[in-house]
Amino acid sequence: MKTVLLKRFIKDERVTMGALKIEGVDHDTIFTLELPWKENKKSQSCVPPGEYKVVPYSSEKYTDVYEVTHVNGRSFILIHVGNYLKDTRGYILPGMGLGNTDEPMVTLSRKAMGLLKGSLDYKPFILKIF
């Protein structure tokens, strides 16, 4: 099982942003956008630092995405396509770049999700968040 590192570089009252690195895989940087830390409140907070198993997930609304499992006090945390904070409810949004608007955002989220799934063969992985 591959390991993916999420190193956060912005953690403030508005947003949490980071960069994903798949260990052992040479790839373009995948940035992440999450809500700010709000004491791990469901649908209001980013995922707490730690190590989690991430598994493929699909539903009618969210097809071919990932679910972050075993987060203490929370469930149904997805990694899925989205560009703005309004697109997340405590989920992790991947992107190929960072937007330069007044609103925090990631760009090219579909491309980033495709790169993530392709690099991991859409299989489970370990996510380490720092």
Side-chain angles (χ1 to χ4, degrees):
M1 189 176 308
K2 290 185 179 177
T3 299
V4 176
L5 307 176
L6 172 51
K7 182 164 176 52
R8 292 171 169 157
F9 54 83
I10 295 176
K11 298 181 273 188
D12 63 27
E13 66 282 344
R14 285 184 358 157
V15 67
T16 301
M17 299 183 95
L20 288 175
K21 174 65 179 146
I22 304 167
E23 287 190 330
V25 177
D26 186 26
H27 62 83
D28 291 337
T29 299
I30 299 173
F31 295 98
T32 60
L33 178 69
E34 297 177 78
L35 294 170
W37 176 249
K38 300 275 181 149
E39 304 301 323
N40 200 31
K41 292 180 185 172
K42 182 178 179 176
S43 302
Q44 297 178 37
S45 180
C46 64
V47 180
E51 186 172 314
Y52 307 100
K53 184 175 182 184
V54 179
V55 297
Y57 174 86
S58 213
S59 69
E60 198 171 304
K61 184 174 181 180
Y62 298 102
T63 56
D64 301 328
V65 298
Y66 284 106
E67 180 181 9
V68 182
T69 64
H70 307 295
V71 177
N72 192 27
R74 298 211 5 227
S75 62
F76 194 66
I77 298 172
L78 301 180
I79 300 173
H80 74 82
V81 172
N83 297 98
Y84 301 96
L85 287 174
K86 67 178 178 59
D87 299 325
T88 180
R89 295 182 326 198
Y91 303 152
I92 300 171
L93 307 179
M96 296 305 297
L98 303 174
N100 52 358
T101 65
D102 289 335
E103 181 180 358
M105 67 174 291
V106 290
T107 61
L108 302 170
S109 189
R110 288 189 193 285
K111 182 177 179 180
M113 191 68 180
L115 177 61
L116 186 62
K117 291 191 308 188
S119 298
L120 296 164
D121 299 320
Y122 194 52
K123 291 184 178 174
F125 62 92
I126 300 299
L127 177 63
K128 294 182 180 180
I129 301 175
F130 301 93

